[in-house]
Amino acid sequence: QKEVEQNSGPLSVPEGAIASLNCTYSDRGSQSFFWYRQYSGKSPELIMFIYSNGDKEDGRFTAQLNKASQYVSLLIRDSQPSDSATYLCAVNPLTGGGNKLTFGTGTQLKVEL
Amino acid sequence: DVKVTQSSRYLVKRTGEKVFLECVQDMDHENMFWYRQDPGLGLRLIYFSYDVKMKEKGDIPEGYSVSREKKERFSLILESASTNQTSMYLCASSTRGLNTEAFFGQGTRLTVV
């Protein structure tokens, strides 16, 4: 079983709709969870992180965490064509020194006009 | 403006060559990471370092080594390049702690022929 799993997509949504991206993780001891966005040919950049159960909102983005179900999601409201990218879920498993992020394979999102 | 700089954007090397990929960060971060990114496989951690001269193996360390002699610089070494090491290599850095963002360099696309 992979440590962090995401549906590779592509996930296609119409402009203005809500995009829902999902991620599951295997390490129950994981403490913090990150969503990165990666445009084609570019490096990943952080959208937001979450470490408490429940929802965390930042503008059009909402991260949701359910530690009991080992599930984290990202909702993008009012999706725009500029949101078309690959979204990477990352988990800090809290093992060893430092924070060693483990990434999922990413979900490709396409927002269509 | 935070910066992680990788020495080369594109690199072509021959099989059997010793290859050095250099990464420098100017944010005084304790943690530095080397990932490789391949289609369908996502970002996979090769090595990370949480302090000068300290290193830990990631998920795929075989065929690679690293060096961190100064806090700001983290080098990835391919001892004898092989064609299966053709990939996009991404360096990242972060401060210590659970909820700290990892900042990525622009990536080095390495082709081994």
Side-chain angles (χ1 to χ4, degrees), chain B residues 9-17 19 21 35-39 41-42 44 46 60 62-64 76 78 80-90 108-113:
Chain B
R9 190 69 205 263
Y10 300 95
L11 214 50
V12 180
K13 294 293 181 180
R14 294 196 179 277
T15 300
E17 275 193 78
V19 181
L21 302 183
Y35 291 89
R36 64 177 282 178
Q37 187 171 31
D38 301 287
L41 297 176
R44 293 180 291 166
I46 304 171
I60 51 165
E62 298 78 18
Y64 303 94
L76 180 69
L78 286 66
S80 177
S82 64
T83 55
N84 63 13
Q85 293 177 310
T86 291
S87 186
M88 172 65 82
Y89 289 87
L90 288 162
T108 296
R109 183 162 294 282
L110 173 67
T111 302
V112 182
V113 298

Side-chain angles (χ1 to χ4, degrees), chain A residues 6-70:
Chain A
Q6 297 181 255
N7 189 322
S8 61
L11 172 67
S12 293
V13 298
E15 184 178 6
I18 296 175
S20 178
L21 304 159
N22 304 315
C23 173
T24 58
Y25 59 95
S26 60
D27 185 348
R28 269 199 185 276
S30 298
Q31 296 293 313
S32 51
F33 308 87
F34 301 79
W35 282 101
Y36 283 80
R37 176 177 60 202
Q38 186 176 26
Y39 292 112
S40 180
K42 301 291 186 182
S43 298
E45 54 185 1
L46 183 71
I47 299 173
M48 61 192 306
F49 68 87
I50 187 168
Y51 57 88
S52 297
N53 274 328
D55 295 1
K56 179 181 179 182
E57 189 175 314
D58 184 0
R60 295 188 296 115
F61 299 96
T62 299
Q64 299 175 316
L65 175 60
N66 184 327
K67 287 188 179 180
S69 300
Q70 295 175 243

Side-chain angles (χ1 to χ4, degrees), chain A residues 2-3 31-32 34 36 38 41-46 49-51 88 92 94-105, chain B residues 9 31 33 35 37 40-43 45 48 50 56-59 90 94-102 104-107:
Chain A
K2 288 183 182 175
E3 291 184 52
Q31 296 293 313
S32 51
F34 301 79
Y36 283 80
Q38 186 176 26
K42 301 291 186 182
S43 298
E45 54 185 1
L46 183 71
F49 68 87
I50 187 168
Y51 57 88
L88 301 166
N92 181 354
L94 199 62
T95 54
N99 53 319
K100 189 172 70 170
L101 287 180
T102 299
F103 284 83
T105 54
Chain B
R9 190 69 205 263
N31 301 324
F33 308 83
Y35 291 89
Q37 187 171 31
L41 297 176
L43 274 85
L45 182 65
F48 83 105
Y50 51 91
E56 279 197 25
K57 293 180 180 179
D59 300 316
L90 288 162
S94 71
T95 57
R96 289 202 183 119
L98 286 176
N99 305 314
T100 60
E101 177 181 356
F104 285 84
Q106 77 276 28

